[in-house]
Amino acid sequence: FLMASEHLFIPALLLLILGNGAFKPNVSTQVGALYRDGDHRRDGAFTIFYMGINLGALLAPFVCGTLGQEVGWHWGFAAAGVGMAAGLVVYLWGARFLAPEVLPAQRAKEAEPAQPLTRAEWTRVIALVVLCVLNIVFWGVYEQQGNTMQLWADDNTDWRLLPGVSWNVPSSWYQSFNPIFIILFAPVLDRYWRWQAKRGKEPSSVSKMAIGCLLLGVSFFVMIAGAKAIGGGRGSVWWLVWTTLILTIGELYLSPIGLSLVVKVSPPRIVSMMMGMWFLSSFFGNYLSGYIGIYYETMSKEGFFFLLAMLGLFAGGCIWAFNRPLKRGIAAGGPSPDVAPG
């Protein structure tokens, strides 16, 4: 609601940071707490959870983006405040369905001496740190959707989608492409992974993350072709559609799987902190995204999209190359059936 006033921009950002920091790591941990250790359904659960998150991401550009561009940004940000209030009501109503809160039990143990992490637990923590570092590159490329890809949507895309109608679709609707595809394909991948699991062919969590990075890199080859075809003018929205489709499937192979992996392999007493570290890698990825975005104005569009493609392929190649040692580290101290195979 504070974002509705430009005079309160900095305090509003501070509250966004504090609220997001308190919400995202803990709600993800709550999802993981719904399943026992070793339950193979957890990857699929996080995928469905991820789909639910993106239902809001789908509606936001249609509501907030349209109000912002067509009426005024004050109205767009105020609508976001209304959405958050509605989300709070839903969360409080549904809290009874969550796993029991573990904080009281933790407080009961505070009088006991703190137990240091074992060598096996440290090995798992280090393996997660390595994945988080590689995760930075993924998000640095992925987050171009809200950066340079939105500039492409604004300046190089023809949004007159209906023949004979002069009204242009607001370019902010591009931000709904990704959540639409997540909602469509998250259940498909969930069923596909279950089908693979029944046949003993489901990739390990680390392998899935490598596939996600590789698909991210491949997606930008579509934009390279689009940049060559369009030149400096405006072209079809389908370039954005196909790029986002491939990119989104890559995201589904990495992001919810990473959330699930953190819950599966983190020592239980520091799982929320490790989830916070996972999201910290997203912070550095967003910072990297801004740094990479500088070159959008100085490089040719084909060259810039080729850079993004190579970064995605590089991250995927590194995860794939470290697949075996990472799996050994993650499985240290007793491999989980849904982590070690593949």
Side-chain angles (χ1 to χ4, degrees):
F1 285 115
L2 293 184
M3 290 288 287
S5 170
E6 62 269 27
H7 302 294
L8 298 173
F9 180 68
I10 299 301
L13 287 182
L14 176 62
L15 289 179
L16 285 172
I17 293 167
L18 293 175
N20 203 40
F23 179 78
K24 288 187 72 172
N26 292 294
V27 73
S28 301
T29 302
Q30 286 179 319
V31 175
L34 294 172
Y35 298 86
R36 297 182 182 275
D37 291 343
D39 195 324
H40 69 277
R41 297 174 298 171
R42 186 178 275 133
D43 277 5
F46 270 99
T47 303
I48 296 171
F49 164 69
Y50 205 72
M51 181 179 68
I53 292 172
N54 280 276
L55 180 60
L58 167 64
L59 297 175
F62 291 143
V63 178
C64 304
T66 303
L67 283 173
Q69 285 190 278
E70 302 295 326
V71 181
W73 290 110
H74 305 283
W75 290 95
F77 285 123
V82 172
M84 286 307 304
L88 176 60
V89 171
V90 171
Y91 181 80
L92 293 175
W93 173 83
R96 64 184 184 274
F97 298 113
L98 297 175
E101 177 60 65
V102 298
L103 190 58
Q106 290 176 345
R107 287 172 175 167
K109 294 182 179 180
E110 285 181 355
E112 302 176 5
Q115 297 296 321
L117 296 177
T118 66
R119 181 176 181 180
E121 289 175 329
W122 271 115
T123 302
R124 291 188 173 198
V125 169
I126 292 171
L128 283 176
V129 170
V130 173
L131 279 177
C132 284
V133 171
L134 296 173
N135 193 41
I136 293 172
V137 181
F138 176 89
W139 291 113
V141 177
Y142 170 89
E143 292 296 348
Q144 297 301 321
Q145 287 182 99
N147 187 8
T148 55
M149 294 290 284
Q150 183 61 53
L151 293 177
W152 179 274
D154 294 339
D155 302 330
N156 298 98
T157 302
D158 184 358
W159 289 96
R160 294 173 296 178
L161 303 185
L162 299 176
V165 178
S166 60
W167 181 69
N168 284 357
V169 171
S171 60
S172 59
W173 284 21
Y174 163 64
Q175 295 302 320
S176 288
F177 288 9
N178 174 247
I180 286 174
F181 289 136
I182 286 176
I183 292 170
L184 290 175
F185 286 98
V188 175
L189 285 177
D190 180 40
R191 289 180 177 273
Y192 176 60
W193 291 332
R194 290 186 186 183
W195 179 83
Q196 286 184 313
K198 289 180 180 179
R199 289 156 178 78
K201 296 181 179 180
E202 183 182 11
S204 69
S205 296
V206 177
S207 296
K208 288 179 183 176
M209 295 174 70
I211 292 170
C213 285
L214 294 173
L215 287 172
L216 175 72
V218 169
S219 70
F220 282 97
F221 283 104
V222 178
M223 290 305 301
I224 294 172
K228 290 182 178 179
I230 294 172
R234 290 180 179 268
S236 172
V237 71
W238 286 103
W239 297 112
L240 291 175
V241 170
W242 286 109
T243 300
T244 307
L245 171 59
I246 301 171
L247 177 152
T248 300
I249 295 176
E251 177 189 3
L252 287 170
Y253 264 93
L254 182 135
S255 188
I257 303 306
L259 294 173
S260 176
L261 186 65
V262 171
V263 174
K264 285 188 289 193
V265 306
S266 295
R269 57 191 179 279
I270 62 168
V271 64
S272 287
M273 186 185 73
M274 295 302 294
M275 190 66 73
M277 185 190 70
W278 174 263
F279 287 117
L280 184 65
S281 70
S282 299
F283 159 76
F284 286 112
N286 276 269
Y287 189 87
L288 178 63
S289 173
Y291 181 80
I292 295 172
I294 296 173
Y295 296 98
Y296 185 76
E297 300 294 341
T298 59
M299 298 176 65
S300 69
K301 297 300 182 287
E302 299 99 306
F304 179 77
F305 292 132
F306 181 76
L307 171 64
L308 297 182
M310 290 299 102
L311 287 172
L313 295 177
F314 169 78
C318 287
I319 295 177
W320 202 275
F322 288 117
N323 196 5
R324 289 186 180 277
L326 282 172
K327 283 195 296 184
R328 282 198 298 269
I330 288 171
S336 300
D338 52 350
V339 177

